[in-house]
């Protein structure tokens, strides 16, 4: 009989312990708002272009998606995109823009490396023009 009580006590403790386990919830999505002022002063090397623009975007951590809008005035772009690179440094094209008409809008899914660069201020918008500014006329460092 003593063994029966011990077994019953152990079974009760096990049942209570299993009931008290909390289910792990999926991580809540984090939405990060991003922006940039785009101008010739941020270009590397800086230039005296009077063209300007803006970048606004949101990044959602759970979907890894960046949704963005780029506006500009004062130039006719030959190509535009988002590069990887810290402020003051140049880098490789990470996200090309298919459309060049302002406003440029889009949604892209980022790789883990791109997301890390974006969230740590290591990406920038670059708008190029033909001729004098073929390497980039205006630039905007993307920041949280």
């Amino acid at each position: 009989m003593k063994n029966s009580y011990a077994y019953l006590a152990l079974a009760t403790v096990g049942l209570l312990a299993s009931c008290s386990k909390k289910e792990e919830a999926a991580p809540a999505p984090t939405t990060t708002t991003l922006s940039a002022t785009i101008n010739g002063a941020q270009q590397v090397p800086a230039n005296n272009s009077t063209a300007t623009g803006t970048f606004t975007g949101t990044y959602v951590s759970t979907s890894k998606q960046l949704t963005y809008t780029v506006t500009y005035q004062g130039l006719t772009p030959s190509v535009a995109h988002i590069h990887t690179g810290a402020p003051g440094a140049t880098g490789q094209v990470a996200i090309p823009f298919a459309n060049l008409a302002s406003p440029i809008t889009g949604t892209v899914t980022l790789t883990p490396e791109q997301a890390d660069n974006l969230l740590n201020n290591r990406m920038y918008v670059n708008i190029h023009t033909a001729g004098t500014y073929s390497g980039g006329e205006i630039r905007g460092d993307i920041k949280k």
Side-chain angles (χ1 to χ4, degrees):
M1 190 77 159
K2 202 174 192 183
N3 284 340
S4 295
Y5 287 125
Y7 176 74
L8 182 59
L10 283 174
T12 302
V13 169
L15 180 63
L16 290 174
S18 68
C19 290
S20 67
K21 287 184 182 176
K22 294 181 182 177
E23 289 188 32
E24 291 185 29
T30 301
T31 300
T32 304
T33 302
L34 304 148
S35 65
T37 299
I38 308 169
N39 55 44
Q42 293 184 69
Q43 189 61 42
V44 178
N47 65 54
N48 60 358
S49 173
T50 59
T52 60
T54 61
F55 167 94
T56 57
T58 56
Y59 175 72
V60 179
S61 62
T62 52
S63 66
K64 309 278 190 264
Q65 289 194 322
L66 170 66
T67 300
Y68 59 85
T69 300
V70 176
T71 62
Y72 63 83
Q73 49 278 331
L75 56 72
T76 302
S78 58
V79 67
H81 32 242
I82 296 174
H83 286 258
T84 300
T90 60
Q92 298 296 314
V93 173
I95 302 165
F97 299 147
N99 173 31
L100 297 180
S102 183
I104 301 168
T105 61
T107 299
V108 294
T109 301
L110 302 183
T111 66
E113 182 180 5
Q114 289 172 327
D116 181 62
N117 285 326
L118 181 70
L119 296 173
N120 288 290
N121 302 328
R122 294 188 303 260
M123 293 190 106
Y124 62 94
V125 176
N126 206 204
I127 302 177
H128 302 252
T129 54
T132 304
Y133 300 116
S134 61
E137 183 166 341
I138 57 176
R139 168 184 170 144
D141 298 318
I142 301 172
K143 299 177 181 162
K144 295 191 273 183

